[in-house]
Amino acid sequence: MTVSDSSPAPGGVQSVARTFALLEALADAGGEEALAALAAATGLAVPTAHRLLKTLHGLGYVRQLEDRRYALGAGLIALGQQAVPPLADAALPALRQLEDAFHETANLAVLDGDLVLYAGQVASRQRMRMFTEVGRRVLPHSTGVGKAMLSTMPEPHVRALIARTGLPRFTPQTLTDPDAFIADLRRSRSRGFAADDSEQEVGVRCIAVAVPGLGQPAAISVSGPAARITDARVPDVVDALTQAAEHLAAAGR
């Protein structure tokens, strides 16, 4: 989702709004971006963006790469984990078991407003692996965890959400028609899991299951190269995810 408005909410502080707009623009760019592009994405003058980024750099919330581009800093990881500490901590053993079982990246995500927030992860130990930074927020329609969570919500709520966010195309496989997307959520609900088949990134497959009864939408997933997460492996992945979701739901009660 492109950040184009860094104006504060009524009664808000402009510098704070601009600072978070820059962080969100960095996240939208995949975690790394040049100063000029960040300024353009947020509508800020380059000197203003540079001053704010320099402050964030000093605090450890962004870092500067050798090519002078900016990247999200490690300081954000602790903040993201503290935002949902009981759930993230409770999920960690299950995520480790999933990675041990399938040697692919295991994720925990929650719905943060209209966006998916990655709250926990155990990355695959394989050389070719898929991972998303903990704390990153993405649109839900092209992710397995997003679709798993939305499949548990009333359809009018989902239609209102995608009307706000839109259904931008990220790959040729991304669902961009609202009716087709709702139909996909119905299939996900009936079979008990959701899938992202190269819808967020070409060649990447994610199988996800919603975690029920936590008081907030949440989902866990296993993601990796589509060549490794084959149709033959999906039933075993779904069984393991379902058991992990049930265990996490029981721990959260």
Side-chain angles (χ1 to χ4, degrees), residues 23-212:
L23 290 173
E24 291 176 357
L26 258 177
D28 290 341
E32 301 177 1
E33 188 57 279
L35 171 61
L38 290 171
T42 54
L44 297 175
V46 170
T48 300
H50 180 261
R51 185 170 63 253
L52 292 171
L53 288 166
K54 185 177 180 180
T55 301
L56 289 168
H57 182 272
L59 294 170
Y61 296 127
V62 302
R63 53 194 172 90
Q64 197 161 25
L65 307 177
E66 291 183 1
D67 62 4
R68 308 301 295 172
R69 291 183 304 149
Y70 288 90
L72 294 174
L76 293 170
I77 296 175
L79 290 180
Q81 290 175 331
Q82 288 300 315
V84 283
L87 182 57
D89 288 346
L92 192 56
L95 297 179
R96 287 174 176 154
Q97 290 178 359
L98 289 167
E99 196 281 331
D100 284 340
F102 302 106
H103 307 298
E104 304 293 353
T105 298
N107 304 286
L108 167 72
V110 297
L111 199 62
D112 180 24
D114 290 344
L115 300 177
V116 167
L117 169 67
Y118 286 91
Q121 181 182 91
V122 174
S124 169
R125 288 166 285 183
Q126 300 204 58
R127 181 171 298 178
M128 181 182 293
R129 60 184 180 177
M130 308 301 152
F131 66 93
T132 299
E133 299 90 347
V134 172
R136 186 182 181 194
R137 295 187 299 166
V138 299
L139 291 170
H141 73 284
S142 58
T143 67
V145 285
K147 292 198 287 183
M149 289 186 279
L150 295 188
S151 71
T152 68
M153 297 168 56
E155 288 185 9
H157 292 186
V158 176
R159 287 188 181 275
L161 185 151
I162 62 177
R164 293 190 297 269
T165 64
L167 298 172
R169 185 182 300 280
F170 298 112
T171 76
Q173 304 304 316
T174 307
L175 295 173
T176 59
D177 176 76
D179 291 334
F181 181 68
I182 293 296
D184 186 76
L185 294 185
R186 291 172 182 166
R187 286 191 295 271
S188 299
R189 185 162 52 247
S190 66
R191 67 190 180 185
F193 73 94
D196 154 21
D197 288 313
S198 295
E199 296 163 46
Q200 177 73 23
E201 186 176 346
V202 173
V204 176
R205 194 176 202 187
C206 175
I207 306 299
V209 168
V211 181

Side-chain angles (χ1 to χ4, degrees), residues 227-246:
R228 293 203 304 251
I229 303 182
T230 61
D231 290 346
R233 296 190 77 192
V234 169
D236 290 337
V237 172
V238 171
D239 285 346
L241 285 170
T242 301
Q243 292 178 29
E246 291 173 350

